[in-house]
Amino acid sequence: MPIANFSLTGVFASSIAVAWEANTNPIGTPYQTSIWTAGGSTTTGTVVITTAAFTGLAADTTYFLAIRALNGDGVVTSYSNFLSARMPPLPPAAVR
């Protein structure tokens, strides 16, 4: 079953945190996480909880995110809604 209520829970200096509801998926269901930039490659991972953090992200860059569940046979559900988040720019260099 597709996940529900996929949302951003935090955008930090170099990371994004997300959470979702399992819907009717049982505890221990694997979820495939995906993050990418426009024109960039996609990074995927798998978690068995309903939160994820993406770290090591570039400043002043927009990222797109999606989650989908894998059923017991390894078949993936449709993607969740897609989210986007822009990372904050680097702080200005100190003036000397």
Side-chain angles (χ1 to χ4, degrees):
M1 187 81 171
I3 61 113
N5 299 320
F6 179 43
S7 62
L8 294 170
T9 57
V11 176
F12 307 100
S14 63
S15 65
I16 296 172
V18 295
W20 59 93
E21 293 176 12
N23 204 346
T24 60
N25 295 308
I27 292 174
T29 295
Y31 298 96
Q32 184 181 67
T33 63
S34 297
I35 186 168
W36 66 95
T37 58
S41 61
T42 301
T43 300
T44 59
T46 303
V47 297
V48 293
I49 55 176
T50 56
T51 61
F54 302 90
T55 61
L57 305 178
D60 206 23
T61 301
T62 299
Y63 288 89
F64 302 92
L65 305 99
I67 306 291
R68 59 186 176 177
L70 288 83
N71 72 18
D73 297 326
V75 177
V76 294
T77 64
S78 58
Y79 275 108
S80 62
N81 54 301
F82 293 86
L83 300 177
S84 66
R86 183 150 188 92
M87 301 306 298
L90 291 173
V95 178
R96 294 181 190 230

